[in-house]
Amino acid sequence: MVHVEIRHVDQAAIAVLRIDNPPVNSVGSQVRVALGEQLDKALADAQVNAVVLTGSGRFFSGGADIREFNTPKTQVRPLLRELIARIEGAGKPVVAAINGTALGGGLELTLGCHGRVASETAKLGLPEVKLGVLPGAGGTQRLPRIIGIAAALDMIVGGEPIAAHKALANGLVDEVAADPIDAACRLGLALSRGERESRTVDPAPLRNAASESVFEAARRDAQRRYRGCIAPLECIGCIEQTVHTSLEAGLAYEADRFKFLVEGDQSKAQRHVFFAERQATKLPSAAEPSQIARVGVVGAGTMGGGIAMSLANGGYWVVLLEQTEAALQRGWNTIQGNYAASSKRGRFTEQEVKDRLSRIQCSLEYGDLADVDLVIEAAFEDMQVKKEIFTRLDAVCKPTAILASNTSRLDINEIAAVTSRPAQVLGMHFFSPANVMRLLEVVKGAKTSDSVIATVFRLAVRLNKIPVLVGVCDGFVGNRMVSHYTREAYFLLEEGCTPAQVDGALRRFGMAMGPLQMQDMAGLDISWAARKRQAPTRPAHLRYSKVADRICEMGRFGQKTGSGFYRYEAGSREPIPDPEIDALIAQCSAEAGITRREISDEEIIARTIYALVNEGARIVQDGIAQRASDIDVVYVAGYGFPMFRGGPMFYADTVGLPEVLATIRRFHEQHGEYWEPAPLLVELAESGRRFSDS
Ligand code: T1G
């Protein structure tokens, strides 16, 4: 847990305490106790001139142990804030040797120290806000007193770590050294001899350090960027305390607000997502992944271009194939334009853009795919087209090459069947824009081998994607569920809502975008094609809304045609309600014999979100998803579900499955068989269990 080593520097003795708690040196109850004991010993030892705190491996510390939150372990003394106060008030210098990543409570531990030295590769951050809490061990009170209000607001409300050189520039660390422990020992010695000033903070209020408007601006920015989240606003409130209260009073306020947040639903939801993402990306088998160096991408359209960029960003060599020179040039121009925009935003330097572009080889020849290790097909969403492409790929690519389709819903088994290598065929469903969105649905065909899955999972993690293993069905996980969600949105329109009312209710719930605005953005023609494909097999007795079809028949496909459910001014994506659509909807209601009525936000949320939950339960019981939390990862990472609600399945657990089931049973009586409760939901609700127990 905590190793002690005595180092001798210029005839002085320095006690080096090293936190050793794999995998990330989290500071849980056991580490706190051990650290407190070793600190007391070192401070009491007359032979010891100074103390250095450091971590083992590549972490200083990944912060407090998140798994202990909402358990009695968080009350085991010394509390982290008590430990930090002891360091701050120690009779000898205590210096932090930040050997690697220092996050959350790990970084807060260093803020009580008398000096801080960072390694050149160290990352320092207070990401608590991403878990729906705030730095609860003094970070909101000490950091502003060290680096100033504005920089502290950035770090704490944004939650992003900073590099060592930036920490040196803003005064967070005193030194950046190749050997941080040796440098920290020397700093400790200098402090013990009065040759250097201690960096412990001045407890007085930071009067006049920032005007009221700074905090109001921060609140407005947080409300815009993190709509519906309460933690960012609480962080700002804590930081604001530093301007007019002492350190002691500010620490008490911070402790109170931390307790409020950590016991709240939002933080529990965000911590669920944190662990769910890590569980989803775990390799589903012990199979050994194979090496991938060169990747072919077939199709240079929106998806193919984004995938090529994502691969180039991940350091892979890419062969981007198109059928015609014109299509290839269009795709290449789009890629260059995207990189230029990123460079202008400061995301990449010019050299980084050059390096990435140099990794993408454009081609019109299938022969150029002969030695790639993986091909990702991102061509037109038509089974016949895909079969033709996979037939050619099978003939051209080396026997070990993996062949993947970016299809968003088509049958991978049917595609694999046209090749001689079905074990090496799978789906890799990227989300647009593919160079930005982190979700990747990895679709395992009936014959896809475990080693192919392992290979693609490892590639996905290297692309900073979140791979989620899904099975073959129409729409896999995300799109299969979204069709039920969208169906209910269309029904609500016929029953009395306007598009703005449905979308408004769901945005207030926290969705990044309402379903109808999302349809306008994605293109109404895409789902129209899917509905036409499904029409021959759609049971005639099931209710069907003609609203979206009628809009498509008017040539209104959404943003790309300037109108869909909404109107759009030229060059604008801002949805404008359109009375012509309201009239069309009323017409559809009349034709369906539906009397329009007032519908509450509450019903809109229940009808759309519980449609997701019910289908999600079916997906788990069908084995299309490995677990309910994978569905939450898909929806938060790929469909704009609010992180602070944890995903549709976690949200249902939070509401309570008995209540969700009762509502679904009521909808079943009112709206027919679409609302047949999923057996898994019934089983869990009636046995007092939750999706997170399944
Ligand atoms: N507590 C418990 N477990 C943690 C953990 C933590 N802080 N951080 C990571 N893990 C687990 C993780 O679940 C996974 O477990 C394994 O470690 C490897 O993680 C009082 C209240 C540190 C950058 O928010 O950002 O301090 O799956 O796969 O990619 O103010 O983990 O193997 O079972 O992510 O190398 C603040 C959260 C806490 C940092 C490493 N700290 N962690 O990334 O590995 S709250 C954080 C991370 C706090 C104080 C407050 C990353 C990482 P398993 P990994 P990685």
Side-chain angles (χ1 to χ4, degrees):
M1 280 291 166
V2 176
H3 304 302
V4 183
E5 172 203 355
I6 300 296
R7 286 202 184 188
H8 293 281
V9 178
D10 296 351
Q11 284 84 44
I14 313 290
V16 179
L17 311 187
R18 184 191 302 271
I19 301 169
D20 185 9
N21 184 26
V24 301
N25 293 341
S26 55
V27 180
S29 52
Q30 288 182 316
V31 171
R32 293 200 308 270
V33 170
L35 201 48
E37 286 168 357
Q38 296 303 342
L39 184 67
D40 288 350
K41 274 185 200 160
L43 295 178
D45 184 339
Q47 302 304 312
V48 168
N49 300 82
V51 178
V52 166
L53 283 186
T54 193
S56 57
R58 62 193 177 96
F59 295 99
F60 175 81
S61 168
D65 187 334
I66 309 169
R67 294 183 195 281
E68 292 189 352
F69 288 0
N70 308 122
T71 75
K73 288 186 175 178
T74 53
Q75 297 314 306
V76 170
R77 309 193 96 92
L79 305 182
L80 191 51
R81 64 173 76 95
E82 291 168 343
L83 207 45
I84 294 166
R86 274 158 55 183
I87 290 169
E88 194 168 53
K92 294 174 187 171
V94 180
V95 177
I98 305 172
N99 58 297
T101 299
L103 298 175
L107 181 62
E108 289 175 296
L109 203 54
T110 75
L111 301 184
C113 291
H114 305 79
R116 285 170 289 278
V117 177
S119 70
E120 286 144 351
T121 56
K123 292 270 188 298
L124 302 87
L126 293 175
E128 289 88 337
V129 70
K130 295 182 176 182
L131 299 172
V133 288
L134 51 80
T140 68
Q141 303 305 305
R142 291 191 176 90
L143 191 66
R145 287 178 164 88
I146 295 169
I147 65 174
I149 298 274
L153 280 167
D154 273 351
M155 274 188 79
I156 294 171
V157 179
E160 293 302 322
I162 60 173
H165 67 270
K166 189 166 178 192
L168 182 65
N170 72 12
L172 180 49
V173 300
D174 307 290
E175 206 177 320
V176 173
D179 180 346
I181 296 176
D182 179 64
C185 289
R186 295 182 185 285
L187 175 55
L189 188 54
L191 283 161
S192 70
R193 291 172 178 168
E195 296 162 3
R196 292 283 295 270
E197 280 290 302
S198 164
R199 295 294 313 282
T200 50
V201 298
D202 175 344
L206 291 171
R207 292 204 191 288
N208 310 318
S211 67
E212 193 54 37
S213 61
V214 165
F215 298 105
E216 286 317 309
R219 285 190 180 89
R220 282 195 302 277
D221 183 53
Q223 281 161 334
R224 179 178 55 79
R225 288 169 62 191
Y226 314 111
R227 194 162 41 84
C229 297
I230 53 177
L233 301 173
E234 290 290 347
C235 287
I236 295 166
C238 285
I239 296 166
E240 193 171 21
Q241 296 304 307
T242 61
V243 172
H244 44 79
T245 59
S246 68
L247 177 65
E248 187 183 358
L251 290 173
Y253 179 87
E254 177 195 87
D256 174 65
R257 301 323 294 160
F258 176 82
K259 184 174 185 303
F260 163 73
L261 288 173
V262 80
E263 290 171 357
D265 287 342
Q266 288 203 0
S267 177
K268 289 170 185 169
Q270 291 179 237
R271 282 178 269 142
H272 162 74
V273 173
F274 173 86
F275 289 115
E277 280 183 1
R278 282 153 181 80
Q279 186 168 28
T281 56
K282 276 193 177 18
L283 281 184
S285 77
E288 199 48 43
S290 57
Q291 286 306 315
I292 298 283
R294 292 175 67 82
V295 183
V297 176
V298 176
T302 304
M303 289 309 292
I307 293 167
M309 289 178 69
S310 181
L311 290 161
N313 295 345
Y316 293 93
W317 292 99
V318 182
V319 177
L320 180 60
L321 183 77
E322 252 297 356
Q323 297 180 87
T324 66
E325 180 60 43
L328 189 57
Q329 192 58 53
R330 263 198 314 278
W332 180 242
N333 292 344
T334 304
I335 288 172
Q336 288 178 297
N338 287 341
Y339 273 126
S342 296
S343 177
K344 202 177 289 180
R345 284 198 302 273
R347 179 148 181 257
F348 295 126
T349 64
E350 280 191 26
Q351 187 53 50
E352 285 170 335
V353 169
K354 279 198 188 109
D355 293 346
R356 283 156 172 77
L357 288 172
S358 70
R359 291 192 199 113
I360 301 172
Q361 170 202 340
C362 291
S363 165
L364 296 170
E365 300 298 331
Y366 267 83
D368 290 339
L369 300 179
D371 67 343
V372 300
D373 307 299
L374 162 70
V375 178
I376 302 171
E377 169 271 321
F380 188 59
E381 189 73 348
D382 173 87
M383 182 54 85
Q384 196 44 45
V385 167
K386 294 190 186 302
K387 285 182 174 179
E388 284 163 12
I389 290 171
F390 274 74
T391 302
R392 291 188 71 178
L393 292 174
D394 194 35
V396 164
C397 296
K398 63 186 182 185
T400 57
I402 295 169
L403 308 182
S405 172
N406 172 56
T407 180
S408 60
R409 56 188 326 133
L410 298 178
D411 185 335
I412 291 297
N413 295 325
E414 198 177 332
I415 294 171
V418 303
T419 75
S420 62
R421 62 181 89 188
Q424 290 152 243
V425 175
L426 78 167
M428 290 177 70
H429 177 211
F430 289 81
F431 286 74
S432 186
N435 54 308
V436 174
M437 294 293 281
R438 295 192 62 210
L439 178 64
L440 176 69
E441 283 185 321
V442 179
V443 190
K444 186 177 192 308
K447 296 181 178 172
T448 308
S449 73
D450 286 347
S451 68
V452 163
I453 296 295
T455 302
V456 166
F457 259 59
R458 185 167 67 175
L459 174 121
V461 171
R462 285 186 180 167
L463 297 181
N464 191 30
K465 298 283 181 190
I466 304 171
V468 178
L469 188 66
V470 300
V472 175
C473 67
D474 187 349
F476 314 134
V477 169
N479 283 345
R480 171 170 159 180
M481 288 168 66
V482 85
S483 51
H484 294 264
Y485 170 76
T486 311
R487 177 201 73 223
E488 287 306 306
Y490 294 167
F491 286 170
L492 286 161
L493 291 177
E494 287 183 329
E495 293 171 36
C497 292
T498 63
Q501 199 184 346
V502 172
D503 286 350
L506 283 155
R507 272 182 57 80
R508 284 187 289 276
F509 173 78
M511 297 298 286
M513 189 180 284
L516 305 167
Q517 189 183 351
M518 188 167 78
Q519 286 289 314
D520 271 2
M521 186 180 76
L524 296 180
D525 48 332
I526 294 172
S527 44
W528 190 29
R531 290 195 300 276
K532 286 192 274 190
R533 190 174 61 243
Q534 293 153 356
T537 57
R538 184 182 303 118
H541 70 282
L542 282 181
R543 180 181 171 187
Y544 179 78
S545 164
K546 293 190 173 63
V547 170
D549 296 352
R550 289 281 170 78
I551 293 174
C552 289
E553 285 156 11
M554 295 166 70
R556 294 175 62 135
F557 294 154
Q559 288 181 17
K560 60 185 168 185
T561 57
S563 67
F565 281 98
Y566 299 93
R567 266 190 323 102
Y568 298 87
E569 299 295 350
S572 164
R573 294 173 179 274
E574 189 58 33
I576 303 169
D578 185 346
E580 196 177 346
I581 293 301
D582 296 343
L584 178 152
I585 293 168
Q587 176 61 29
C588 288
S589 305
E591 288 173 14
I594 294 169
T595 305
R596 294 177 68 77
R597 62 187 170 89
E598 279 298 305
I599 296 176
S600 67
D601 274 16
E602 190 188 9
E603 179 176 351
I604 293 169
I605 299 306
R607 289 273 295 278
T608 50
I609 301 298
Y610 290 176
L612 290 178
V613 173
N614 206 32
E615 193 58 20
R618 287 204 172 81
I619 284 171
V620 175
Q621 69 193 56
D622 291 352
I624 297 296
Q626 295 183 95
R627 55 187 78 87
S629 61
D630 279 11
I631 291 175
D632 289 333
V633 172
V634 167
Y635 257 76
V636 168
Y639 290 80
F641 200 94
M643 168 95 78
F644 63 83
R645 295 194 190 268
M649 313 312 274
F650 187 87
Y651 172 68
D653 280 346
T654 304
V655 170
L657 295 192
E659 179 179 333
V660 172
L661 177 59
T663 304
I664 287 177
R665 280 180 165 150
R666 183 159 47 80
F667 291 161
H668 187 206
E669 283 164 20
Q670 290 168 351
H671 303 291
E673 69 179 77
Y674 278 129
W675 285 100
E676 174 78 38
L680 175 62
L681 171 62
V682 175
E683 179 200 331
L684 293 174
E686 293 182 347
S687 60
R689 287 182 296 140
R690 302 169 304 169
F691 283 119
S692 46
D693 301 323
S694 66

